[in-house]
Amino acid sequence: MDFNFPGPIERGIGAEKELITPPAFREMGIYPLRYAEMDYAIAPVIQAAWERRAQSGAHPYMLSDDQEYLETVKNWLLRRRRWEVATAWIAPCYGVAQTVISCLRLLTKRGDGVIIQPPVFHNYRKFISLNGRRVIGNPLIYHPGGYEMDLALLERQMADPANRLLILCHPHNPVNRVWPLADLEQIARLSRRYAMPVISDEVFAEQAFDHQPVPSYGSIPAGQPLAIVCASLGKAFNLCGGKHGNTVIPDKALREAFLRQRDADGYTSMDPFFFDAVKAAYSPAGEAWLDASIDYVGENVRELRDFLAARLPRVTFCPPQAGFFAWVDWRGLGLAEDELHRLLAEKALLLSDIGSKFGQEGAGFSRVVLGTPRQSLQTILRHLGAAAQELGWI
């Protein structure tokens, strides 16, 4: 089936990405390569489900423990992730942010340390700090072509009784790494040894470029007693503005404690549009759209890779394994971050997410969104090539 990924998208009044798009970009049909959402319309099967819901004229309360819904999620995790879960493990929620905040309140107290692995999704730091907890950085180790975890430092940090929680980003945002099973197993052993819960944010796990199942941290037996896994339609199906997700918690006592905290933090019922969206997305038609989207973004990855190799060899990026970003290393140009991004915007029409947003470890990098129409990307690359020639970056 063909899908219209290059087609124009109108986000409408109030859309954040619209507000940061300069008028000149709109006139040229160029999309900013920033913000963690894709620049094309949602899957037709989801759109059709929402049209039916809207035409019904009803917007009812929906049961969060509806068995048909839970079976849909369970079957998807088995088919897409090769992870066999029980429906009882699935706790619908208002998204990853709500799950992380509820877990901070449930599992830590003010002043406790929470471990994250920068450069990493910037909102983790915000959630930790605003809730009066301490950010404990376990920086990733960078080497040409990729990142790895500092597992020796991580063990020392998990052994410290002042630290009470680890937030794992898997696949990692923004460096696009699918963590090896051996690393996940080591984290599970450390979690059990030091009695530390692990939140595994797996919102990009359905988008591996090799179309292979991404192993869930929650599938590792040693980690299951303290594992909290976040799943969502938001990234894979480009529903970033929706406040919905599913938290999967294998351990009964931990799950029941989480449900109490989730509800205390204001969870009531499921949005009926997202009830329908999950059923539509996790259908064969939804999966076909997702696979086509992955392939489309993969072609954009190759466009960027080939361009940099041929025209701008001082700039590199980590080959992404999942998601719809490239984590680009501009440090070979020898520019300060502010100057770099000013020149990229003015000369190359390239607006990307500044690397230091994800922690000081990201300085000199940027997160470039590649879930965008290819014609727009090609236009930007032509301008980038001309800028590189003009500014002597070649």
Side-chain angles (χ1 to χ4, degrees):
M1 182 181 296
D2 292 329
F3 297 101
N4 190 30
F5 294 117
I9 181 172
E10 296 292 335
R11 289 183 171 86
I13 295 172
E16 194 169 357
K17 193 160 184 176
E18 287 295 319
L19 296 175
I20 61 94
T21 302
F25 281 51
R26 291 195 190 94
E27 292 167 7
M28 298 179 66
I30 294 174
Y31 291 86
L33 303 182
R34 63 187 299 194
Y35 281 48
E37 58 183 276
M38 295 182 281
D39 295 320
Y40 40 77
I42 62 174
V45 68
I46 297 176
Q47 184 67 42
W50 279 358
E51 288 173 358
R52 289 192 297 272
R53 173 65 66 178
Q55 289 167 3
S56 75
H59 194 272
Y61 291 117
M62 305 296 290
L63 291 173
S64 292
D65 57 355
D66 177 85
Q67 285 303 301
E68 183 180 355
Y69 172 91
L70 296 176
E71 287 289 339
T72 298
V73 176
K74 171 187 173 180
N75 292 337
W76 173 261
L77 291 172
L78 180 60
R79 185 172 73 253
R80 191 77 187 183
R81 304 287 307 278
R82 304 294 187 266
W83 183 24
E84 187 168 4
V85 307
T87 56
W89 297 3
I90 303 165
C93 61
Y94 291 147
V96 175
Q98 194 235 13
T99 290
V100 170
I101 292 168
S102 291
C103 288
L104 287 171
R105 294 171 177 169
L106 172 66
L107 301 169
T108 68
K109 62 181 185 300
R110 296 184 69 85
D112 283 349
V114 179
I115 303 168
I116 60 175
Q117 296 177 304
V120 74
F121 179 50
H122 58 96
N123 276 335
Y124 297 158
R125 187 177 299 272
K126 181 176 76 173
F127 299 151
I128 294 165
S129 299
L130 289 178
N131 281 277
R133 279 64 171 170
R134 293 180 300 111
V135 175
I136 306 298
N138 175 246
L140 301 178
I141 299 170
Y142 179 73
H143 54 81
Y147 284 83
E148 61 185 37
M149 293 188 196
D150 188 340
L151 290 170
L153 174 59
L154 182 61
E155 176 162 14
R156 293 195 296 274
Q157 292 170 327
M158 293 179 75
D160 184 343
N163 301 329
R164 301 302 307 153
L165 183 65
L166 168 65
I167 302 178
L168 173 70
C169 197
H170 170 61
H172 193 282
N173 171 18
V175 310
N176 313 108
R177 182 80 197 274
V178 175
W179 296 118
L181 183 60
D183 287 4
L184 301 179
E185 290 172 338
Q186 175 63 3
I187 291 172
R189 287 191 289 268
L190 296 176
S191 170
R192 172 167 286 190
R193 184 179 305 159
Y194 300 113
M196 179 174 287
V198 176
I199 301 173
S200 186
D201 179 353
E202 301 185 4
V203 298
F204 291 99
E206 280 83 18
Q207 291 174 284
F209 286 110
D210 61 5
H211 293 278
Q212 294 301 305
V214 173
S216 175
Y217 176 78
S219 68
I220 299 170
Q224 286 185 344
L226 292 167
I228 300 160
V229 175
C230 301
S232 169
L233 298 182
K235 303 307 179 187
F237 290 94
N238 205 29
L239 301 176
C240 300
K243 301 305 178 187
H244 177 77
N246 292 295
T247 306
V248 186
I249 306 176
D251 183 79
K252 184 174 185 290
L254 180 59
R255 182 172 63 252
E256 290 177 348
F258 170 79
L259 290 171
R260 289 192 295 271
Q261 186 66 54
R262 179 202 68 173
D263 295 350
D265 290 337
Y267 185 86
T268 53
S269 68
M270 194 183 308
D271 184 314
F273 281 89
F274 273 87
F275 180 96
D276 294 344
V278 167
K279 292 175 63 180
Y282 291 171
S283 70
E287 190 165 21
W289 180 92
L290 175 57
D291 285 334
S293 171
I294 292 167
D295 290 339
Y296 188 87
V297 175
E299 286 298 319
N300 283 348
V301 171
R302 285 184 279 278
E303 287 269 351
L304 178 61
R305 180 198 64 199
D306 294 347
F307 169 85
L308 293 178
R311 303 291 305 280
L312 204 49
R314 291 160 63 187
V315 177
T316 61
F317 73 100
C318 299
Q321 296 176 331
F324 50 88
F325 310 127
W327 181 241
V328 179
D329 184 355
W330 304 93
R331 294 176 300 171
L333 300 179
L335 297 170
E337 192 170 65
D338 289 347
E339 177 71 358
L340 167 68
H341 285 275
R342 182 185 69 79
L343 290 171
L344 289 175
E346 293 178 359
K347 299 290 187 178
L349 304 182
L350 197 165
L351 291 174
S352 58
D353 292 307
I354 296 173
S356 60
K357 170 182 177 180
F358 304 94
Q360 64 180 3
E361 297 82 2
F365 293 76
S366 72
R367 188 181 69 176
V368 177
V369 170
L370 294 175
T372 197
R374 190 158 302 121
Q375 182 176 358
S376 173
L377 175 63
Q378 290 169 340
T379 300
I380 291 170
L381 293 180
R382 285 196 297 271
H383 283 275
L384 180 56
Q389 186 73 39
E390 177 188 345
L391 298 168
W393 289 353
I394 296 174

